[in-house]
């Protein structure tokens, strides 16, 4: 058996190695976090007071810097009063992994403290709505315009310099303007997402369409295709799989604009939830909310990738996993039938 | 691919000598109507040092159901020529007539088969072949039935639902030929169509193509750099020379039809081959560019010989 190689330049990994490294990607950061959280002599710069003793300004459950606490202990030791007791603890902004894990569930069950505040799932729904409308509006104009730019040099020349210029203006800079025009509710937030996505989208789509091999257009021309068909029957289908991947990447960018968009006007959605929880010092919930955003993004992307692999059969010739599983089921059925 | 022994072979007939049957065939061929007439076609490019003439005053005509091959050394502009005939490149002088009417720009009357296949990767074999018909507004059902016939003709019936990426090079090129023919062109232009194929597949494709040409009402203009391929396929061979690209000779191939690979050693074939070798690789030119021998010194031990 050949020696297993772990760090060979530009070599594919075996399935076992892939799984192992994939697992490590999650476990290593988690291990570091656990180390800092659970091993008391690592970091833990605070003391959580369990018994205030005779110190008047200390309360049970309070977090104080270790230096201050030790000074009080020394002072009372000399004065001969009741010495305060406490345990080493991390700052409040670094909850232990298990508390965040629990919060992933309890964040959904934490009742809003003020009337008019939203539950976590309601906040998430609002954020997803913002992203969805922002991305749909941007794509509805950006994709056709990008395709036209990719197809016709004249349209590209008229559009792209301006788009390139605006692209460098940070989308949140339009916040105040959007509030003035569209009010303080969801509309200006959607507008920020649109501004953040649209200009990139036009350029990315145009470039993808331009990558279509010229020889395909030539072949179509010798078969009698005219302008309209060259665009609709050659350029668009030829670049469709790449356009689909572009959309996936752009959707990721739209998410990055979400948090800044949601503080425009009246803070809303997941951002509002995060800010409220931070105000109440429920940092587990803050982490939980951030992790949930990540999970939503990752799951969306994986679902889109899964669909993409199957939507363009000419690109991907390996049989779909679903079909393989069905095939195996039927194969199994056959065996039992013939037994 | 010069074969030096050909130059030495004595006793070959003149390549212009035609057996009575062959001469009679050419006489009838010349009586057929002219499909394509290329009239003093020229093409200039603006290069680094002013204008460069790629093609100058190229004139020839192709008769109905004739098979004309174009050969020439690299850089003689044979690809430019066929691209101009297809309308994919613009001549800077001269004109082209198809069935007596001047043509400019690409159109379905001049079908093209490219070296790089250029099949639409998102369409199946059937859909690829249907493309030209659909562009001519043939309804789907009819187009599919007609495409099916062409696919069967090139022997790809079993692969009708495959995507191009699932086909071998030879099958891709057969699909491309079916696609071009399905659009019912007056002339089929082929730009080194078998250049990317391995020797065995290429020989097979040559036989296929001759079979198709025999059975289908189509005129073929075929570009190649393979001299044997040109002699095997062509009625007449248009020999171009480079810098600038000009017609050097239009050779009537004396090899009788029907052709087969077995004729490669016949005297007519060898005579034509010798003539083409003289034109394409003139003995003087060989010494100009590259040195005869590479300046290699011996790096192995004495006695350690491989031949």
């Amino acid at each position: 058996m050949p020696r297993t190689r772990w760090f060979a330049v530009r070599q594919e990994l075996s399935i076992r190695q892939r799984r192992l490294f994939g697992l490590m990607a999650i476990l290593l950061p988690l291990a570091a976090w656990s180390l800092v959280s659970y091993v008391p002599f690592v970091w833990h710069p605070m003391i959580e007071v369990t018994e205030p003793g005779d110190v008047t300004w200390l309360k049970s459950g309070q977090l104080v810097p270790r230096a201050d606490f030790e000074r009080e202990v020394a002072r009372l030791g000399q004065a001969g009063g009741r010495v305060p007791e406490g345990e080493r603890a991390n700052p409040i902004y670094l909850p232990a992994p298990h508390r965040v894990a629990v919060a992933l569930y309890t964040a959904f069950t934490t009742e809003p403290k003020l009337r008019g505040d939203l539950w976590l799932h309601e906040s998430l729904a609002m954020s997803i709505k913002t992203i969805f409308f922002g991305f749909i509006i941007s794509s509805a104009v950006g994709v056709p315009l990008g395709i036209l730019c990719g197809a016709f040099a004249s349209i590209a020349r008229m559009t792209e310099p301006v788009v390139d210029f605006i692209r460098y203006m940070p989308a949140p800079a339009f916040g105040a303007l959007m509030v003035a025009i569209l009010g303080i509710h969801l509309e200006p937030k959607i507008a920020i997402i649109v501004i953040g996505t649209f200009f990139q989208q036009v350029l990315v789509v145009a470039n993808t369409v331009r990558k279509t091999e010229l020889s395909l257009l030539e072949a179509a021309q010798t078969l009698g295709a005219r302008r309209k068909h060259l665009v609709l029957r050659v350029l668009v289908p030829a670049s469709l799989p790449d356009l689909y991947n572009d959309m996936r990447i752009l959707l990721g960018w739209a998410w990055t604009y979400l948090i800044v968009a949601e503080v425009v006007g009246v803070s809303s959605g997941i951002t509002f939830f995060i800010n409220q929880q931070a105000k109440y010092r429920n940092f587990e919930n803050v982490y939980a909310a951030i992790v949930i955003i990540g999970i939503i993004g990752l799951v969306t992307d994986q679902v889109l990738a899964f669909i993409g692999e199957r939507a363009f059969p000419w690109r991907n010739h390996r049989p779909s996993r679903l079909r393989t599983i069905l095939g195996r089921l039927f194969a199994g059925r056959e065996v039992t039938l013939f037994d | 691919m010069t074969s030096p022994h050909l130059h030495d072979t004595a006793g070959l007939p003149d390549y212009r000598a035609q057996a009575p049957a062959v001469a009679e065939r050419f006489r009838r061929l010349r009586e057929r109507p002219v499909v394509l007439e290329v009239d003093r076609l020229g093409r200039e490019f603006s290069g680094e040092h002013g204008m460069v003439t790629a093609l100058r005053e190229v004139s020839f005509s192709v008769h109905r159901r004739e098979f004309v091959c174009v050969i020439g050394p690299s850089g003689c502009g044979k690809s430019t020529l066929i691209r101009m005939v297809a309308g994919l490149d613009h001549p800077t002088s001269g004109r082209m007539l198809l069935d007596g009417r001047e043509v400019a720009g690409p159109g379905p009357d001049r079908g093209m088969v490219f070296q790089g296949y250029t099949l639409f990767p998102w369409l199946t074999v059937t859909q690829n072949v249907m493309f030209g018909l659909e562009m001519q507004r043939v309804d789907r059902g009819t187009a599919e039935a007609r495409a099916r016939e062409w696919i069967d003709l090139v022997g790809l019936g079993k692969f009708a639902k495959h995507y191009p990426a699932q086909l071998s090079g030879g099958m891709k090129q057969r699909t491309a030929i079916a696609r071009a023919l399905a659009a019912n062109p007056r002339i089929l232009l082929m730009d080194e169509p078998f250049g990317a194929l391995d020797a065995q597949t290429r020989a097979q494709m040559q036989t296929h193509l001759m079979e198709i040409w025999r059975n289908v009402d189509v005129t073929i203009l075929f570009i190649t750099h393979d001299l044997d391929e040109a002699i095997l396929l062509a009625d007449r061979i248009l020999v171009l020379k480079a810098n600038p690209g000009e017609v050097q000779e239009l050779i009537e191939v004396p090899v009788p039809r029907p052709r087969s690979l077995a004729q490669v050693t016949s005297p007519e074939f060898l005579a034509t081959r010798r003539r083409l070798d003289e034109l394409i690789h003139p003995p003087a030119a060989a010494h100009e560019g590259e040195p005869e021998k590479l300046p290699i010194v011996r790096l192995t031990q004495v006695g350690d010989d491989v031949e």
Side-chain angles (χ1 to χ4, degrees), chain B residues 247-305:
Chain B
V247 176
Q248 203 166 13
E249 192 174 345
L250 189 56
I251 296 175
E252 293 186 342
V253 179
V255 182
R257 288 194 183 270
R259 304 257 175 85
S260 72
L261 283 167
Q263 287 166 307
V264 171
T265 49
S266 71
E268 298 95 341
F269 197 103
L270 293 176
T272 316
R273 171 71 206 236
R274 187 173 60 181
R275 177 61 185 159
L276 290 182
D277 273 327
E278 282 166 14
L279 292 172
I280 308 277
H281 316 282
H287 299 287
E288 273 174 22
E290 291 151 31
E292 275 285 84
K293 275 189 159 182
L294 294 173
I296 289 179
V297 293
R298 191 176 173 111
L299 296 171
T300 57
Q301 287 183 348
V302 175
D304 187 12
D305 294 325

Side-chain angles (χ1 to χ4, degrees), chain B residues 213-228:
Chain B
W213 173 69
R214 253 197 297 280
N215 293 300
V216 177
D217 177 6
V218 67
T219 310
I220 297 180
L221 185 65
F222 188 105
I223 298 234
T224 179
H225 63 259
D226 181 338
L227 306 185
D228 290 330

Side-chain angles (χ1 to χ4, degrees), chain A residues 216 218 229 233 237-238 314 317, chain B residues 83 108 119 121-122 134-135 165:
Chain A
L216 291 181
E218 292 183 343
H229 286 136
R233 300 281 311 262
W314 70 91
H317 298 291
Chain B
R83 286 176 57 80
L119 295 175
W122 61 94
E134 287 180 332
M135 290 300 116

Side-chain angles (χ1 to χ4, degrees), chain A residues 93-173:
Chain A
Y93 58 78
L94 188 74
H98 74 274
R99 286 177 61 195
V100 174
V102 170
L104 279 176
Y105 172 73
T106 54
F108 284 98
T109 58
T110 306
E111 206 173 327
K113 297 207 172 171
L114 295 174
R115 215 154 51 86
D117 281 7
L118 296 173
W119 292 72
L120 176 57
H121 65 273
E122 289 171 320
S123 305
L124 280 172
M126 205 174 199
S127 290
I128 290 172
K129 194 170 145 192
T130 311
I131 289 275
F132 179 79
F133 281 110
F135 195 71
I136 289 292
I137 292 169
S138 169
S139 301
V141 188
V143 173
L145 184 60
I147 290 172
L148 287 176
C149 285
F152 303 106
S154 47
I155 295 180
R157 189 72 198 128
M158 265 196 300
T159 314
E160 286 185 9
V162 181
V163 168
D164 230 348
F165 173 59
I166 301 176
R167 182 167 76 108
Y168 281 102
M169 304 175 186

